[in-house]
Amino acid sequence: GPLRAWFEAHRRSLSRVVALVGGVVVVLALFPHVPRKVDVEFELGPTHQEIVEVRVAYLQDGEELHGVSFSFPGGAPGQLRHSVTLPPGDFEVHAEFRPNRGLSRETVRKLHAPAQGVVKIRLEPRAR
């Protein structure tokens, strides 16, 4: 009938529309799972000048997804900023500090990604 004739006449245009809508649906379904950049600022506390190395690991479900190490031969600054690309979700942030003398110290904090703006994490290391 007339409906079939209309579909036959517009087959090419309809296939483009269907492909476009399908592509949009796929993008919208995958977008929440795409890793994104998270800006992190660590507050190292009053003894920051004694710290010569900081190691940070981002763990999700017990698995390390990202890690970074910083060295400061003359002592660390009070704040330490960096960017990390993480998938959405909750993370444990494991930080280990090596002072210029004495035992290494460590701390564990929480982080949720993605985040708006800079995520500030106060690190108060404990001796181990």
Side-chain angles (χ1 to χ4, degrees):
L3 186 59
R4 182 177 178 156
W6 184 85
F7 276 113
E8 290 292 327
H10 296 93
R11 177 194 283 180
R12 204 172 220 170
S13 296
L14 289 172
S15 66
R16 287 182 189 147
V17 169
V18 168
L20 179 64
V21 169
V24 168
V25 168
V26 168
V27 167
L28 290 176
L30 294 177
F31 183 73
H33 305 289
V34 174
R36 296 190 198 115
K37 183 177 94 166
V38 179
D39 294 316
V40 182
E41 179 178 283
F42 297 111
E43 174 66 45
L44 299 181
T47 61
H48 65 88
Q49 293 174 328
E50 298 172 9
I51 298 169
V52 294
E53 185 176 5
V54 178
R55 292 183 183 157
V56 178
Y58 296 89
L59 282 75
Q60 188 176 47
D61 299 326
E63 181 181 345
E64 183 176 332
L65 297 184
H66 194 283
V68 64
S69 181
F70 304 94
S71 293
F72 307 99
Q79 290 87 26
L80 178 59
R81 283 186 116 174
H82 84 108
S83 296
V84 60
T85 301
L86 298 170
D90 294 318
F91 293 85
E92 283 188 353
V93 180
H94 290 245
E96 180 181 358
F97 309 87
R98 190 168 60 86
N100 53 9
R101 60 186 178 282
L103 297 174
S104 292
R105 300 175 284 172
E106 60 185 22
T107 189
V108 177
R109 296 288 185 259
K110 303 285 185 190
L111 177 139
H112 181 78
Q116 292 289 347
V118 177
V119 176
K120 296 185 179 198
I121 299 176
R122 181 157 178 79
L123 300 177
E124 296 177 20
R126 301 180 315 260
R128 64 174 179 161

